[in-house]
Amino acid sequence: MKKTLTQFSDSSDSVMLSKVNRRFFLRSAGVAATTGAFIMGACTEQDLMSDDVVDLGSGDFGILNYAYALEQLEAAFYIQVLTTPYLNMTDMEKWILTDIRDHEIIHREFFKAALGMKAIKGLTPNFSQIDFASRTSVLGAAKLFEDTGVAAYNGAGKLIEDVNYLLVAGKIVSVEARHASAIADLINPNALEFANGQIDENGLEHAYSPSIILDGVSPFVMDKISGKNLPS
């Protein structure tokens, strides 16, 4: 079945997306941009105690939902970073973080549109462990999210059956890898060892299974996410 992207309206992100460098993204990621809404729910005791489980599904749609969940998390994080900038954020840092934020919003909305009715719900992030007023805390979290994203795409690639989805995933992970390098350079400018933590002992990028990734990001999401039906 031919997939098309849906154009969303009444977007809380529309102002942000109007500033996105679409030419860069379309050249780098090869997917169309759409606008869409993200509502960051309040972290309540009821949320924490909820027994509801978000099932990612199975097959290629399950993997797409897996990517969608991660992109929701990343987009929400960078939206918060730019909404409450850390102390003494430089113009260059703001420019880089804004560019990354806009890319993550596009990634998120691409998966939402591609999945259509099969898309999981909007997840509620839990960033209580991150001090958004601290540069060290924010950039440390950004590095964690970007390195995790790269490893997640690398690990999920072999599970995708549709070559068209695989092509898009490959293009998006290249953007995520550039994000990871940019964040690493902000933390330690011009360091030759910027790739430390991103590659294994063989000089290859890390590739982790969905079960490992979901366990790793679970502290940052209020919702319980299940990948039990994902291909393995």
Side-chain angles (χ1 to χ4, degrees), residues 20-39:
V20 173
N21 184 340
R22 287 179 172 82
R23 286 188 302 170
F24 172 80
F25 180 73
L26 291 173
R27 181 175 68 248
S28 302
V31 298
T34 61
T35 57
F38 181 89
I39 300 176

Side-chain angles (χ1 to χ4, degrees), residues 77 84 86 127-139 141:
F77 169 72
T84 55
Y86 53 75
F127 296 141
S128 59
Q129 300 180 47
I130 303 171
D131 179 2
F132 285 93
S134 164
R135 180 181 188 273
T136 299
S137 180
V138 167
L139 294 185

Side-chain angles (χ1 to χ4, degrees), residues 9-10 32 56 74 78 91 96 98 107 127 134 138 142 189 193 207 214-215 219 224:
S9 59
D10 297 326
L56 298 176
E74 289 188 288
Y78 287 107
D91 289 342
I96 291 172
T98 298
H107 293 173
F127 296 141
S134 164
V138 167
E193 65 274 15
L214 291 174
D215 184 62
K224 298 177 182 178

